[in-house]
Amino acid sequence: QVQLIESGGGLVQAGGSLRLSCAASGRTLSDYAMGWFRQAPGKEREFVAAISWGGGSTDYADSVKGRFTVSRDNAKITVYLQMNSLKPEDTAVYYCAAKTSRSTVTYTTTFAYALWGQGTQVTVSS
C-alpha cells in the first residue's frame, strides 16, 4: 500500500512563506497526478492546487492563484506546494492526494483521488 507523507507545515506570520512537500513511501510518484487540498476547522475539505502526471498542467483555486505554486521534481519523487504571501485564512490542515494517471489532466475534486496523506498543519498568525 502506497502511503503519502506530507511535511513542511508550521506556524508563520501573515505575509510569510512555507513550502510543503509530499512524498510516497517506498516508491516514486511517477504514475500519479497530484493534488493539494486543505481543511479548516468546521469546514469541508477544499481544493487548493493540482498538477498533472508529467507536470505540464497545473490548476489552482481562485483564493490562492498568484500566491501558491505547485510543482514536482523531474524524478517524480516529491511534489511541492510553495505558499507565499500567506494569510490567516490559509490556516488549515493541508493534504496531498494522488490519482493514478498518465495524462495531462489535472483533478480538482476530492472524489477523484484514491490516495491521501495524513495532513500537515499550517497556521498563519495575523
Side-chain angles (χ1 to χ4, degrees):
Q1 181 76 16
V2 176
Q3 289 187 317
L4 300 179
I5 303 168
E6 303 99 336
S7 61
L11 173 65
V12 64
Q13 288 188 332
S17 298
L18 284 173
R19 188 176 80 159
L20 305 184
S21 300
C22 175
S25 61
R27 61 162 295 162
T28 70
L29 295 170
S30 59
D31 295 326
Y32 298 95
M34 302 296 297
W36 286 97
F37 292 78
R38 68 187 181 187
Q39 188 166 17
K43 294 187 177 181
E44 293 188 353
R45 193 169 297 188
E46 65 175 4
F47 168 72
V48 175
I51 188 165
S52 61
W53 161 71
S57 299
T58 57
D59 204 352
Y60 297 93
D62 287 343
S63 59
V64 307
K65 278 181 183 176
R67 300 188 298 122
F68 290 12
T69 303
V70 60
S71 62
R72 61 195 310 164
D73 61 21
N74 289 337
K76 299 183 176 64
I77 294 174
T78 307
V79 176
Y80 304 99
L81 184 68
Q82 177 67 43
M83 305 186 295
N84 298 328
S85 301
L86 283 162
K87 304 175 181 180
E89 51 263 44
D90 295 318
T91 295
V93 177
Y94 283 70
Y95 299 89
C96 70
K99 172 182 171 56
T100 303
S101 170
R102 279 185 170 256
S103 75
T104 60
V105 176
T106 56
Y107 302 89
T108 63
T109 58
T110 57
F111 58 76
Y113 292 91
L115 295 176
W116 291 85
Q118 82 287 353
T120 185
Q121 176 71 45
V122 171
T123 303
V124 184
S125 64
S126 58

